[in-house]
Amino acid sequence: MTMPPDKEAEILRYYHVEKWRIGTIATQLHVHHHSVERVLRQHGLPRTAKLRKSILDPYLPFVCETLTKFPTLTASRLHEMCRQRGFVGSPSHFRYLVSQHRPRPAAEAFLRLVTLPGAQSQVDWGHFGHIEIGRARRPLMAFVMVLSWSRRIYLQFFLDARMESFLRGHVGAFEAFGGIPRVLLYDNLKSAVLERQGDAIRFHPTLLDFAGHYLYEPRPVAVARGNEKGKVERAIRYIREGFFAARSYVDLEDLNKQAAAWCIGQADDRLCPQDKTITVREAFVQEQPRLLALPANPYVTDERMPVSIGKTPYARFDLNDYSVPHTQVRQTLTVVADPLRVRILNGSEVVATHQRSYDKGAQIEDPSHIAKLVERKAQAHEQKGMSRLKQAAERGEGIGGITAALLRLVDRYGAAEVQVAVLTALARGVPHPHAVRLALEVQRELKNQPPPVEVCMPKHVADRDAVINPHKLETYDQLTDKKGDKDE
């Protein structure tokens, strides 16, 4: 912990002017005596106190020799080795004593890495927490590319760090820069480097194909050499503090719009580290003509994956189900997806297209798919019902009698209830009115309804509703004419 300047001044005054001892200063200022000693050493005070003898002194030659040979050997293992040789001190005190004698590696000096305009850019991912979309909790990843000379920043947020998003970030950066740097410097990302043994590096084949399309050289940094990509590391820190902190946004699209405006606004208005006399915007104007030209056709970054369609007409992709025509069940199709839509292909034929959802467990349906499936099922039920009636006729049962019995049930229970009961009887393979009546009774008991009462009207009341066909009036005229002839 760094000592405040005012407290350092107090320590020096009490020690040199008031002649206080180190322990007294530590007690009065409520600090550790090691902190007081450190302040005095930093200001050139040599150690004048006599070192007390320690129980480790007989073992110091062995400890120093072992640490020289094995600098990273842990203090706990070294304590066990000394204990086997007769050391009786506690592990905590031994650890403190060893820390005073452990050899320190020499500080490494680094050269400032300077690149030419248009020669290089640095690429990396940054993790910015999570975002809730419906029932899904997805990571919020920031793709960052920085031009090494002008320090122009490209920033785009994604909901994952997969290869397709990685390449989409590249394409967006190239289009925003209006060109391509000659070398792209990567950390040892799985999207870039699959394996490395010393200087032997095996790049991801998709990244190599992408680099061949845009004609740039992919180059990974050395292991444990973060200084080689310090420009993009500082850019990510600048994004956290200067853009993302206390930022409010509606959704991912809104966040990316704000990020694009920030990159060409506030981020471009800062001074260029290469030349403090100009801004990043002015430096980019000088660097942009030195970038490689964009190809005529952009690289295709769609996600492609095979999906197996089961009994239900849905394809599972990215935590959600997308409907397909019912004719595609029990087949293996191909999902082709971009950030906005999902297409499902059978070979080269597009059988379904949907808007992409980033929810979890959602069913995205095309109404026509469901309507055709319902129609097909209705036809199947109708055909099945006709076949059942045909079987009843073959067994010698009268279709007219069956129809009359069903009509009587309709009068007693209602058309809707009878329709459900008929379907139940057909599903059980019993095409007979008795099975329909049994199903109706089961439905009635489940609903706890009273038995239906058949209304029998008296004959003279029923006759009132009888249909009467009136005679033609011409017959009465004929009767009148015959009477007149007789009078004559």
Side-chain angles (χ1 to χ4, degrees), residues 128 142-145 153-157 239 243 256 259-260 262-263:
F128 284 76
F143 174 87
V144 182
M145 182 182 292
I153 296 176
Y154 176 78
L155 170 63
Q156 185 177 0
F157 289 92
I239 290 169
F243 171 75
N256 279 325
W262 178 82
C263 288

Side-chain angles (χ1 to χ4, degrees), residues 155-230:
L155 170 63
Q156 185 177 0
F157 289 92
F158 293 93
L159 298 177
D160 55 63
R162 291 183 290 191
M163 174 60 75
E164 292 80 11
S165 299
F166 194 54
L167 299 184
R168 287 168 190 157
H170 283 73
V171 175
F174 295 158
E175 293 177 353
F177 295 155
I180 309 163
R182 286 168 171 77
V183 176
L184 264 64
L185 203 61
Y186 298 101
D187 198 353
N188 291 280
L189 303 169
K190 291 184 178 179
S191 301
V193 179
L194 293 180
E195 183 182 7
R196 67 184 304 161
Q197 294 289 338
D199 294 334
I201 298 171
R202 184 162 68 92
F203 282 99
H204 198 292
T206 304
L207 182 66
L208 290 178
D209 185 60
F210 180 82
H213 183 83
Y214 285 98
L215 304 178
Y216 72 86
E217 176 191 352
R219 185 183 300 173
V221 300
V223 177
R225 290 289 177 175
N227 64 296
E228 295 184 6
K229 63 178 186 66

Side-chain angles (χ1 to χ4, degrees), residues 8-22 25 36 39-46 48:
E8 286 189 6
E10 284 187 280
I11 292 173
L12 294 174
R13 183 169 64 84
Y14 289 144
Y15 185 83
H16 291 288
V17 178
E18 305 297 341
K19 307 300 182 182
W20 286 10
R21 293 183 178 181
I22 292 177
I25 298 173
V36 178
V39 170
L40 296 176
R41 286 198 306 270
Q42 289 174 351
H43 287 80
L45 181 69
T48 57

Side-chain angles (χ1 to χ4, degrees), residues 3 20 29 48 67 93-94 99 138 143 151 162 179 213 277 296 314 340 393 429 435 463 465 472 479 486:
M3 184 74 67
W20 286 10
L29 298 183
T48 57
L67 289 177
H93 185 58
F94 180 84
S99 66
R138 295 180 179 268
F143 174 87
R151 307 300 174 87
R162 291 183 290 191
H213 183 83
T277 62
Y314 292 94
L340 299 179
D463 292 341
D465 297 330
K472 295 182 180 181
L479 292 174
K486 291 179 179 180

Side-chain angles (χ1 to χ4, degrees), residues 359-376:
D359 201 344
K360 180 181 180 181
Q363 283 189 342
I364 298 89
E365 297 176 339
D366 186 338
S368 64
H369 297 163
I370 307 303
K372 291 180 180 179
L373 177 59
V374 172
E375 181 183 356
R376 176 69 182 86

Side-chain angles (χ1 to χ4, degrees), residues 352-458:
T353 302
H354 299 276
Q355 183 179 359
R356 184 164 183 174
S357 173
Y358 292 96
D359 201 344
K360 180 181 180 181
Q363 283 189 342
I364 298 89
E365 297 176 339
D366 186 338
S368 64
H369 297 163
I370 307 303
K372 291 180 180 179
L373 177 59
V374 172
E375 181 183 356
R376 176 69 182 86
K377 287 296 182 181
Q379 293 176 356
H381 280 301
E382 182 178 353
Q383 294 175 0
K384 188 174 182 180
M386 293 300 295
S387 64
R388 296 296 186 186
L389 291 175
K390 183 178 178 181
Q391 293 176 7
E394 291 176 352
R395 290 198 299 266
E397 300 178 13
I399 296 179
I402 294 175
T403 305
L406 293 177
L407 290 176
R408 287 194 296 270
L409 293 176
V410 169
D411 293 335
R412 296 186 63 187
Y413 292 90
E417 297 291 336
V418 171
Q419 181 180 6
V420 176
V422 168
L423 293 177
T424 303
L426 292 176
R428 293 176 178 175
V430 188
H432 197 276
H434 294 316
V436 176
R437 184 180 297 105
L438 178 61
L440 288 169
E441 288 297 317
V442 171
Q443 294 177 22
R444 181 185 62 78
E445 292 177 359
L446 290 176
K447 295 180 181 180
N448 197 20
Q449 294 177 345
V453 178
E454 186 175 3
V455 179
C456 296
M457 294 184 295

